[in-house]
Amino acid sequence: MPVTSSPTPSRASARITLTLATLAMIGPFTIDTVFPAFGRIGTEFGASEVGLQQLVSAYLAAFAVMSILHGPLSDALGRKPVTIGGLVIYLIGMFGSILAPGLGGLVALRVLQGMSAGAATIVSRVVIRDMFAGPEAQRLMARVMMIFSVAPALAPILGGWLLLLGDWRWVFAGVGLYGVVTLVLTALLPETLPRDQRTPLRLRSLLGSLVHVGRSPVMLRIASASALGFAAQFLFIAGASIIVDRLLGLGEQDFWVLFVPLIIGMMSGSWVVGRAAAVVPRPRLITIGYLAAILAALVNLLLVAVSPAPDGTISPALIPLVAGPMLLAFAVSLVFAPIQLEVLDLFPHERGAAASLGTFFSLVLNALLAGVIMPIVSTSLLAVGTASLLFAAGGTALWVWHLAATRGGASAVAPAGA
């Protein structure tokens, strides 16, 4: 529906908000619910720690590659058909995992899940911007993010509970049922892109929109800044199985120790973003978030350096070790929703393509975090914290460059070569 005829977020139905959040939560549920099952999967298939990490990196890599197409397809076919089609394929991959004969087959099915899950995650963000503009869009994005923030904490806890029912296959069955509920809710959503505003469904047109968006230096700067900033927090999520199991010495039922502080940080940051929507200009809020991320990363390093080594038990001694990631989650949440809207507002007539490319940068980096970077820096919590600080600093540097290049951060499309 056109923005001018859409309701304000205060009148948006709880069902629409919940459905958009449910779509956004597909990604965290697909990644994090499986973490507690890594030990059992490794035992059954004789897989190493590095091999098991490919269950995350393969999913993220496939998600990244296909994310390039989900947005442009939604510009051509409409938001709802692309989302529903992606969910159907996702469910095939999820329930198929129950029958996987070995680690190779399971990784292949994770690729199928990654190829299709982006239709839900990416298009749900575009729907928000289809329906609302300005502070209203930021408020709804923040509201969705507050609900979405529950997923990273709830997912591994749910995975641990599902393992009480039987082997690791119960985890994939449980996430599959979540996908079925999401599919039903999505079928009840309205279509937000009228037919007269859609782009032609031709390969040349789809690729042309991607090239147009991808040639913008402003887009490249903002998307890269967003990816690096989010990586400062996502490093702890991508490596959760290593952090909880090996570095903290805890068990498969104890992922809540890491994820509950993360959810507190994310929800608190999202709440602040919603409250600040009409008070703090978007570029200024993003700047505050990046500076806060650097400060949080430094605090995390200090807390890790002065804390005693974990003894494998859940005790107050763990609080300093998870307080740093919580502060990082808060700071990154100040950036996430506003910078997503910055990306979408660069190309108002090609929002799907902008959302796809903006997400692509983060997904490629996230795949590298899970499959390459985390195994390298997982020698200690201090090494993980140092890597997080470098990502926060890199994102901040790119954002400052963007502000300088656009003379105060005006969100305008820069032509190629500008």
Side-chain angles (χ1 to χ4, degrees):
M1 66 183 70
V3 170
T4 55
S5 64
S6 61
T8 63
S10 60
R11 296 199 300 270
S13 74
R15 179 176 59 81
I16 290 178
T17 303
L18 179 61
T19 301
L20 293 174
T22 303
L23 287 167
M25 290 162 67
I26 282 284
F29 266 109
T30 307
I31 298 172
D32 301 341
T33 309
V34 184
F35 284 146
F38 271 22
R40 299 194 189 187
I41 295 173
T43 300
E44 180 171 334
F45 295 144
S48 66
E49 188 178 78
V50 174
L52 290 170
Q53 279 297 114
Q54 305 317 307
L55 292 174
V56 179
S57 60
Y59 166 84
L60 290 172
F63 196 127
V65 172
M66 281 303 296
S67 70
I68 298 177
L69 295 178
H70 288 139
L73 282 174
S74 76
D75 287 337
L77 299 175
R79 314 303 186 201
K80 192 171 177 179
V82 172
T83 305
I84 290 177
L87 284 171
V88 170
I89 298 173
Y90 171 83
L91 289 174
I92 294 173
M94 187 58 68
F95 286 119
S97 297
I98 299 173
L99 306 175
L103 184 64
L106 189 57
V107 170
L109 287 162
R110 292 288 281 177
V111 169
L112 184 62
Q113 294 163 26
M115 292 173 62
S116 54
T121 304
I122 295 170
V123 178
S124 65
R125 297 174 188 170
V126 182
V127 168
I128 292 175
R129 189 57 188 83
D130 284 345
M131 298 176 71
F132 305 110
E136 290 81 8
Q138 183 169 312
R139 288 192 189 97
L140 182 57
M141 182 78 80
R143 189 178 301 169
V144 168
M145 282 301 301
M146 286 186 67
I147 302 174
F148 161 86
S149 299
V150 176
L154 181 60
I157 297 173
L158 177 62
W161 289 344
L162 290 170
L163 289 175
L164 297 175
L165 300 176
D167 64 17
W168 57 267
R169 293 170 179 83
W170 280 91
V171 174
F172 288 93
V175 179
L177 291 175
Y178 173 84
V180 171
V181 173
T182 304
L183 178 61
V184 172
L185 290 173
T186 303
L188 300 175
L189 274 179
E191 173 58 59
T192 61
L193 184 65
R195 291 185 179 275
D196 60 358
Q197 295 182 20
R198 299 178 188 178
T199 59
L201 182 58
R202 294 193 296 267
L203 181 60
R204 184 174 180 179
S205 297
L206 293 177
L207 295 178
S209 65
L210 288 171
V211 170
H212 176 231
V213 171
R215 291 178 65 209
S216 166
V218 178
M219 173 69 179
L220 295 177
R221 285 194 297 266
I222 296 179
S224 299
S226 175
L228 288 173
F230 186 69
Q233 170 199 334
F234 190 77
L235 187 64
F236 294 92
I237 297 174
S241 62
I242 296 175
I243 293 173
V244 173
D245 181 27
R246 178 153 56 82
L247 299 183
L248 296 180
L250 303 177
E252 63 185 24
Q253 309 295 328
D254 301 326
F255 278 75
W256 64 270
V257 173
L258 174 64
F259 281 95
V260 167
L262 286 175
I263 185 177
I264 292 173
M266 287 187 284
M267 291 190 71
S268 300
S270 297
W271 180 84
V272 171
V273 169
R275 298 286 291 183
V279 180
V280 181
R282 214 156 63 194
R284 184 179 302 170
L285 181 59
I286 295 172
T287 302
I288 293 172
Y290 274 118
L291 295 177
I294 291 179
L295 179 60
L298 289 170
V299 170
N300 178 59
L301 281 176
L302 177 62
L303 291 173
V304 170
V306 301
S307 297
D311 59 5
T313 62
I314 298 177
S315 67
L318 291 176
I319 294 177
L321 300 179
V322 297
M326 180 180 69
L327 294 174
L328 268 166
F330 172 81
V332 172
S333 292
L334 297 180
V335 173
F336 187 81
I339 207 166
Q340 296 298 314
L341 293 172
E342 288 283 308
V343 169
L344 294 175
D345 283 351
L346 287 174
F347 299 91
H349 301 296
E350 296 166 305
R351 288 187 189 128
S356 281
L357 279 182
T359 305
F360 176 77
F361 281 76
S362 287
L363 291 172
V364 170
L365 183 53
N366 290 349
L368 291 173
L369 285 175
V372 179
I373 298 174
M374 188 60 197
I376 292 174
V377 303
S378 62
T379 54
S380 67
L381 290 172
L382 198 61
V384 175
T386 301
S388 177
L389 173 61
L390 292 175
F391 284 124
T396 303
L398 284 170
W399 176 251
V400 171
W401 179 19
H402 165 68
L403 292 179
T406 55
R407 294 183 179 88
S411 296
V413 177

